[in-house]
Amino acid sequence: MSRIGDRGEMEALVEMGQVVNATLDLDQVLGTIAERGARLMGMKACSIRLLEEDGRHLRIGAAYGLSDRYLEKGRVAVDRSGIDAEALAGATVQVRDATRDPRFQYAEEARQEGIRAVLCAPLQAKGRAIGCIRVYAAQEREFTAQEVSFLGNLANLGAVAIENARAYADLRTLSEERAWSARVTHHQLRAPL
């Protein structure tokens, strides 16, 4: 049973934004989004998959409620996962039964994990896809319009948080490189000719 209707979608998103923006550590941001997303929506599990640099594979960024066995099944090949290809193109995709839907790459593993229905939304930043967020239900079902809307809004919030965390990490790296360069330059200036 979805909990977003009880508290209101906007209130839940504001709270989520506050929690996610309290840190700039990417792993912590992703983990928080996955856990809170699953709990708020009353789902079995949630995963965030990030697009790899090759643009052809998705890797797990974070997951909540999924077993290690399921997570270790392998990365997702976009050309073999119709739901992810559709999501990366900008659509929110519903799968009523992942064990029988040909768009789902790991149908047998989903059956073993107890996953039936899946809702997948794109993570987009700066006009490009950076990954997907999925929620999983243990029973075959249709997702409500409110759940679809909430996951889309959560995906937007998540994409901004991911980009902020990545920008912070890049800034830290640049700062460390500048500090190293300054130390080396200082040492070289002090060394006798």
Side-chain angles (χ1 to χ4, degrees):
M1 182 59 124
S2 176
R3 297 182 190 169
I4 56 176
D6 299 336
R7 296 179 51 216
E9 180 177 343
M10 191 58 77
E11 184 180 325
L13 287 169
V14 167
E15 179 186 316
M16 177 76 89
Q18 291 170 340
V19 171
V20 166
N21 288 315
T23 181
L24 289 171
D25 177 80
L26 183 59
D27 292 335
Q28 199 172 7
V29 165
L30 295 175
T32 299
I33 293 169
E35 178 181 354
R36 294 276 177 111
R39 288 178 185 244
L40 285 169
M41 293 183 72
M43 295 293 146
K44 171 184 176 51
C46 179
S47 70
I48 298 171
R49 297 175 184 276
L50 300 176
L51 194 59
E52 292 183 359
E53 286 188 29
D54 67 8
R56 298 180 315 173
H57 296 93
L58 291 162
R59 66 171 174 78
I60 288 286
Y64 174 80
L66 297 171
S67 69
D68 289 340
R69 179 181 45 80
Y70 185 78
L71 294 173
E72 293 167 358
K73 68 188 178 313
R75 61 188 184 166
V76 171
V78 175
D79 64 346
R80 291 181 44 211
S81 177
I83 67 167
D84 291 305
E86 288 177 44
L88 291 171
T92 298
V93 183
Q94 290 195 46
V95 175
R96 187 172 174 82
D97 184 352
T99 65
R100 295 186 306 203
D101 194 311
R103 298 174 298 168
F104 201 82
Q105 182 178 354
Y106 292 104
E108 178 55 27
E109 290 82 355
R111 186 192 63 72
Q112 292 172 6
E113 187 71 11
I115 293 170
R116 293 300 279 231
V118 179
L119 181 62
C120 182
L123 294 167
Q124 296 178 321
K126 299 176 187 168
R128 64 179 178 83
I130 61 170
C132 301
I133 184 169
R134 291 180 178 180
V135 289
Y136 306 88
Q139 66 284 347
E140 188 175 321
R141 69 189 297 264
E142 290 288 327
F143 292 92
T144 67
Q146 186 179 20
E147 289 169 329
V148 171
S149 173
F150 183 79
L151 189 64
N153 288 327
L154 184 59
N156 291 335
L157 175 70
V160 169
I162 290 166
E163 287 301 296
N164 287 344
R166 285 177 172 172
Y168 177 72
D170 290 346
L171 209 56
R172 271 187 49 187
T173 300
L174 182 60
S175 179
E176 290 168 4
E177 289 172 357
R178 282 185 177 173
W180 177 83
S181 178
R183 283 192 304 273
V184 168
T185 302
H186 182 323
H187 175 72
Q188 289 175 345
L189 289 173
R190 290 184 61 198
L193 293 175

